[in-house]
Coordinates of all heavy atoms in Angstrom, one line a residue:
P13 N 28.9 -73.7 72.5 CA 29.1 -72.3 72.0 C 30.2 -71.6 72.7 O 30.3 -71.9 73.9 CB 27.7 -71.7 72.3 CG 26.7 -72.7 72.2 CD 27.5 -74.0 72.8
G14 N 30.9 -70.9 72.1 CA 32.1 -70.2 72.7 C 33.4 -70.8 72.7 O 34.4 -70.2 73.2
R15 N 33.5 -72.0 72.2 CA 34.7 -72.8 72.3 C 35.7 -72.1 71.2 O 35.3 -71.7 70.1 CB 34.6 -74.3 71.8 CG 34.0 -75.1 73.0 CD 33.9 -76.5 72.6 NE 35.2 -77.1 72.4 CZ 35.3 -78.4 72.0 NH1 34.3 -79.2 71.9 NH2 36.6 -78.9 71.9
D16 N 36.9 -71.9 71.5 CA 37.9 -71.2 70.7 C 38.3 -72.2 69.6 O 39.0 -73.1 69.9 CB 39.0 -70.7 71.6 CG 40.0 -69.9 70.7 OD1 39.6 -69.4 69.6 OD2 41.2 -69.7 71.1
V17 N 37.8 -72.0 68.4 CA 38.3 -72.9 67.3 C 38.6 -72.1 66.0 O 38.3 -71.0 65.9 CB 37.0 -73.8 66.9 CG1 36.6 -74.7 68.0 CG2 35.8 -73.0 66.5
R18 N 39.4 -72.7 65.2 CA 39.7 -72.2 64.0 C 39.3 -73.1 62.8 O 39.5 -74.3 62.9 CB 41.3 -71.9 63.9 CG 41.7 -70.7 64.8 CD 43.2 -70.3 64.4 NE 43.4 -70.2 63.0 CZ 43.2 -69.0 62.4 NH1 42.6 -68.0 63.1 NH2 43.5 -68.9 61.1
L19 N 38.7 -72.5 61.8 CA 38.3 -73.3 60.7 C 39.4 -73.5 59.7 O 39.9 -72.5 59.0 CB 37.1 -72.6 60.0 CG 35.8 -72.6 60.8 CD1 34.7 -71.9 59.9 CD2 35.4 -74.0 61.2
T20 N 40.0 -74.6 59.7 CA 41.0 -75.0 58.7 C 40.5 -76.3 57.9 O 39.7 -76.9 58.4 CB 42.4 -75.3 59.3 OG1 42.3 -76.5 60.1 CG2 42.8 -74.0 60.1
S21 N 41.1 -76.6 56.7 CA 40.7 -77.7 56.1 C 40.9 -79.0 57.0 O 40.2 -79.9 57.0 CB 41.5 -77.9 54.8 OG 43.0 -77.9 55.1
Q22 N 42.0 -78.9 57.8 CA 42.3 -80.1 58.7 C 41.3 -80.3 59.7 O 40.8 -81.4 60.0 CB 43.7 -79.9 59.2 CG 44.1 -81.1 60.1 CD 45.5 -81.0 60.8 OE1 46.2 -80.1 60.4 NE2 45.8 -81.9 61.8
T23 N 40.9 -79.1 60.4 CA 39.9 -79.3 61.5 C 38.6 -79.6 61.0 O 37.8 -80.3 61.6 CB 39.9 -78.0 62.4 OG1 39.6 -76.9 61.4 CG2 41.2 -77.6 63.0
L24 N 38.2 -79.1 59.9 CA 36.9 -79.4 59.2 C 36.8 -80.8 58.9 O 35.8 -81.6 59.2 CB 36.7 -78.6 58.0 CG 36.4 -77.1 58.3 CD1 36.4 -76.3 56.9 CD2 35.0 -76.9 58.8
V25 N 37.9 -81.4 58.3 CA 37.9 -82.8 58.0 C 37.8 -83.6 59.2 O 37.1 -84.7 59.3 CB 39.1 -83.1 57.1 CG1 39.2 -84.7 57.0 CG2 39.1 -82.5 55.8
E26 N 38.5 -83.3 60.3 CA 38.5 -84.1 61.5 C 37.1 -84.0 62.1 O 36.6 -85.0 62.6 CB 39.5 -83.5 62.5 CG 41.0 -83.7 62.1 CD 41.9 -83.0 63.0 OE1 41.4 -82.2 64.0 OE2 43.1 -83.2 63.0
R27 N 36.4 -82.9 62.1 CA 35.1 -82.6 62.6 C 34.1 -83.5 61.8 O 33.1 -84.0 62.4 CB 34.8 -81.2 62.6 CG 33.5 -80.9 63.4 CD 33.6 -81.2 64.9 NE 34.6 -80.6 65.6 CZ 34.6 -79.5 66.2 NH1 33.4 -78.8 66.2 NH2 35.6 -78.9 67.0
A28 N 34.2 -83.5 60.5 CA 33.4 -84.3 59.6 C 33.6 -85.7 59.6 O 32.8 -86.5 59.0 CB 33.4 -83.6 58.2
Q29 N 34.7 -86.2 60.1 CA 35.2 -87.6 59.9 C 34.1 -88.6 60.2 O 34.0 -89.6 59.5 CB 36.4 -87.8 60.8 CG 37.1 -89.2 60.5 CD 37.8 -89.2 59.1 OE1 38.3 -88.2 58.7 NE2 37.7 -90.4 58.5
P30 N 33.3 -88.5 61.4 CA 32.4 -89.5 61.7 C 31.3 -89.7 60.7 O 30.5 -90.7 60.6 CB 31.9 -88.9 62.9 CG 32.8 -88.0 63.5 CD 33.5 -87.4 62.4
L31 N 31.1 -88.6 59.8 CA 30.0 -88.6 58.8 C 30.4 -89.0 57.4 O 29.6 -89.1 56.5 CB 29.3 -87.3 58.8 CG 28.5 -87.0 60.1 CD1 27.9 -85.5 59.9 CD2 27.3 -87.9 60.2
L32 N 31.8 -89.1 57.2 CA 32.3 -89.4 55.9 C 31.7 -90.8 55.5 O 31.8 -91.8 56.2 CB 33.8 -89.4 55.8 CG 34.5 -88.1 55.9 CD1 36.1 -88.2 56.0 CD2 34.2 -87.1 54.8
G33 N 31.2 -90.8 54.2 CA 30.7 -92.1 53.7 C 29.2 -92.3 54.1 O 28.6 -93.2 53.6
T34 N 28.6 -91.5 55.0 CA 27.2 -91.5 55.4 C 26.3 -91.4 54.2 O 26.5 -90.4 53.3 CB 26.9 -90.5 56.5 OG1 27.6 -90.7 57.6 CG2 25.4 -90.6 56.7
Q35 N 25.4 -92.2 54.1 CA 24.5 -92.1 52.9 C 23.7 -90.8 52.9 O 23.3 -90.3 53.9 CB 23.5 -93.4 52.9 CG 22.5 -93.4 54.0 CD 21.6 -94.6 53.8 OE1 21.3 -95.1 52.7 NE2 21.0 -95.1 55.0
Y36 N 23.3 -90.4 51.7 CA 22.5 -89.2 51.6 C 21.0 -89.7 51.7 O 20.5 -90.6 51.0 CB 22.7 -88.7 50.1 CG 21.8 -87.4 49.9 CD1 22.3 -86.1 50.1 CD2 20.4 -87.5 49.5 CE1 21.5 -85.0 49.8 CE2 19.6 -86.5 49.3 CZ 20.2 -85.2 49.5 OH 19.4 -84.0 49.3
V37 N 20.4 -88.9 52.6 CA 19.0 -89.3 52.9 C 18.3 -87.9 53.1 O 18.8 -87.0 53.8 CB 18.8 -90.1 54.3 CG1 17.3 -90.1 54.6 CG2 19.4 -91.4 54.1
W38 N 17.3 -87.6 52.2 CA 16.6 -86.4 52.3 C 15.9 -86.1 53.7 O 15.3 -87.1 54.2 CB 15.4 -86.5 51.3 CG 14.6 -85.3 51.2 CD1 13.3 -85.1 51.9 CD2 14.7 -84.0 50.5 NE1 12.8 -83.9 51.6 CE2 13.7 -83.2 50.8 CE3 15.8 -83.6 49.7 CZ2 13.6 -81.9 50.3 CZ3 15.7 -82.3 49.2 CH2 14.6 -81.4 49.4
G39 N 16.2 -85.0 54.3 CA 15.7 -84.8 55.6 C 16.5 -85.3 56.8 O 16.2 -85.1 58.0
G40 N 17.6 -86.1 56.4 CA 18.5 -86.7 57.5 C 19.3 -85.6 58.2 O 19.9 -84.7 57.4
V41 N 19.8 -85.9 59.4 CA 20.6 -85.1 60.1 C 21.7 -85.9 61.0 O 22.5 -85.2 61.6 CB 19.8 -84.1 61.1 CG1 19.0 -83.1 60.2 CG2 19.0 -84.9 62.1
T42 N 21.7 -87.2 60.9 CA 22.7 -88.0 61.7 C 23.5 -88.9 60.7 O 23.2 -89.0 59.5 CB 22.0 -88.8 62.8 OG1 21.2 -89.8 62.2 CG2 21.1 -87.9 63.5
E43 N 24.3 -89.8 61.4 CA 25.1 -90.6 60.6 C 24.2 -91.9 60.1 O 24.7 -92.7 59.4 CB 26.2 -91.3 61.4 CG 25.8 -92.1 62.7 CD 25.7 -91.2 63.9 OE1 25.6 -90.1 63.7 OE2 25.8 -91.8 65.0
E44 N 22.9 -91.9 60.5 CA 22.1 -92.9 59.9 C 21.6 -92.4 58.5 O 20.9 -93.3 57.8 CB 20.8 -93.1 60.8 CG 21.0 -93.7 62.0 CD 19.8 -94.1 62.9 OE1 18.8 -93.7 62.4 OE2 20.0 -94.8 63.9
G45 N 21.9 -91.2 58.1 CA 21.5 -90.7 56.9 C 21.4 -89.2 57.0 O 21.0 -88.6 58.0
I46 N 22.0 -88.4 56.0 CA 22.0 -87.0 56.1 C 22.0 -86.3 54.7 O 22.5 -87.0 53.7 CB 23.3 -86.5 56.9 CG1 23.3 -85.1 57.3 CG2 24.6 -86.7 55.9 CD1 24.3 -84.8 58.5
D47 N 21.4 -85.2 54.6 CA 21.3 -84.4 53.4 C 22.3 -83.3 53.3 O 23.0 -83.1 54.3 CB 19.9 -84.0 53.1 CG 19.3 -83.0 54.0 OD1 20.1 -82.4 54.9 OD2 18.1 -82.7 54.1
C48 N 22.4 -82.5 52.2 CA 23.5 -81.6 52.1 C 23.4 -80.4 53.2 O 24.4 -80.1 53.9 CB 23.4 -80.8 50.7 SG 21.9 -79.9 50.4
S49 N 22.1 -79.9 53.5 CA 22.1 -78.8 54.4 C 22.1 -79.3 55.9 O 22.5 -78.8 56.8 CB 20.8 -78.0 54.2 OG 19.7 -78.9 54.2
G50 N 21.7 -80.6 56.1 CA 21.9 -81.3 57.4 C 23.3 -81.5 57.7 O 23.7 -81.3 58.9
F51 N 24.2 -81.7 56.8 CA 25.6 -81.9 56.9 C 26.2 -80.6 57.3 O 26.9 -80.5 58.2 CB 26.2 -82.5 55.7 CG 27.6 -82.6 55.8 CD1 28.3 -83.4 56.7 CD2 28.5 -81.9 54.9 CE1 29.6 -83.5 56.8 CE2 29.9 -81.9 55.0 CZ 30.5 -82.8 55.9
T52 N 26.0 -79.5 56.6 CA 26.5 -78.2 56.9 C 26.0 -77.7 58.2 O 26.7 -77.0 59.0 CB 26.4 -77.1 55.8 OG1 24.9 -77.1 55.5 CG2 27.0 -77.5 54.5
Q53 N 24.8 -78.1 58.5 CA 24.1 -77.6 59.7 C 24.9 -78.3 61.0 O 25.1 -77.6 62.0 CB 22.6 -77.9 59.7 CG 21.8 -77.3 61.0 CD 20.5 -77.8 61.1 OE1 20.1 -79.1 61.0 NE2 19.5 -76.8 61.2
F54 N 25.1 -79.5 60.9 CA 25.8 -80.3 61.8 C 27.1 -79.7 62.1 O 27.6 -79.4 63.3 CB 25.9 -81.8 61.5 CG 27.1 -82.5 62.3 CD1 26.9 -82.8 63.5 CD2 28.3 -82.8 61.6 CE1 27.9 -83.4 64.3 CE2 29.3 -83.4 62.3 CZ 29.0 -83.7 63.7
L55 N 27.9 -79.5 61.0 CA 29.4 -78.9 61.3 C 29.4 -77.5 62.0 O 30.1 -77.4 62.9 CB 30.0 -78.8 59.9 CG 30.5 -80.0 59.2 CD1 31.3 -79.7 57.9 CD2 31.5 -80.8 60.2
F56 N 28.5 -76.6 61.6 CA 28.4 -75.4 62.3 C 27.8 -75.5 63.6 O 28.2 -74.7 64.6 CB 27.6 -74.4 61.4 CG 28.6 -73.7 60.4 CD1 28.7 -74.4 59.2 CD2 29.3 -72.6 60.7 CE1 29.6 -73.9 58.2 CE2 30.1 -72.1 59.7 CZ 30.3 -72.7 58.5
K57 N 26.9 -76.4 63.8 CA 26.3 -76.5 65.2 C 27.4 -76.9 66.2 O 27.4 -76.5 67.4 CB 25.2 -77.6 65.2 CG 24.4 -77.9 66.4 CD 23.5 -79.1 66.3 CE 22.4 -78.9 65.3 NZ 21.5 -80.0 65.2
T58 N 28.3 -77.8 65.8 CA 29.4 -78.1 66.7 C 30.3 -77.0 67.0 O 31.1 -77.1 67.9 CB 30.2 -79.2 66.1 OG1 30.9 -78.8 64.9 CG2 29.4 -80.4 65.8
Y59 N 30.2 -75.9 66.3 CA 31.0 -74.7 66.5 C 30.1 -73.6 67.3 O 30.5 -72.5 67.5 CB 31.5 -74.0 65.3 CG 32.6 -74.8 64.7 CD1 32.5 -75.4 63.4 CD2 33.8 -75.0 65.4 CE1 33.5 -76.1 62.7 CE2 34.9 -75.8 64.8 CZ 34.6 -76.4 63.4 OH 35.6 -77.1 62.9
G60 N 28.9 -74.1 67.8 CA 28.0 -73.3 68.4 C 27.2 -72.3 67.6 O 26.5 -71.3 68.1

């Protein structure tokens, strides 16, 4: 939390890169499987 970041399409894609192609899994929150809200939760969690 508190890191100075800017949300741009480029930074978002870079931050999401490790999860691109990860299979959809209901209730998942990691690269082993992730659902729609788990994915958005992860991205914002990394911004604190």
Side-chain angles (χ1 to χ4, degrees):
R15 289 182 64 180
D16 185 19
V17 296
R18 285 189 56 81
L19 294 181
T20 66
S21 58
Q22 180 179 351
T23 59
L24 286 167
V25 171
E26 290 174 354
R27 190 62 58 90
Q29 190 67 39
L31 291 175
L32 289 177
T34 297
Q35 65 175 335
Y36 179 96
V37 173
W38 177 266
V41 295
T42 70
E43 64 270 20
E44 291 190 350
I46 199 164
D47 60 19
C48 66
S49 54
F51 175 65
T52 54
Q53 188 187 48
F54 160 75
L55 283 181
F56 276 86
K57 188 186 292 182
T58 63
Y59 291 118

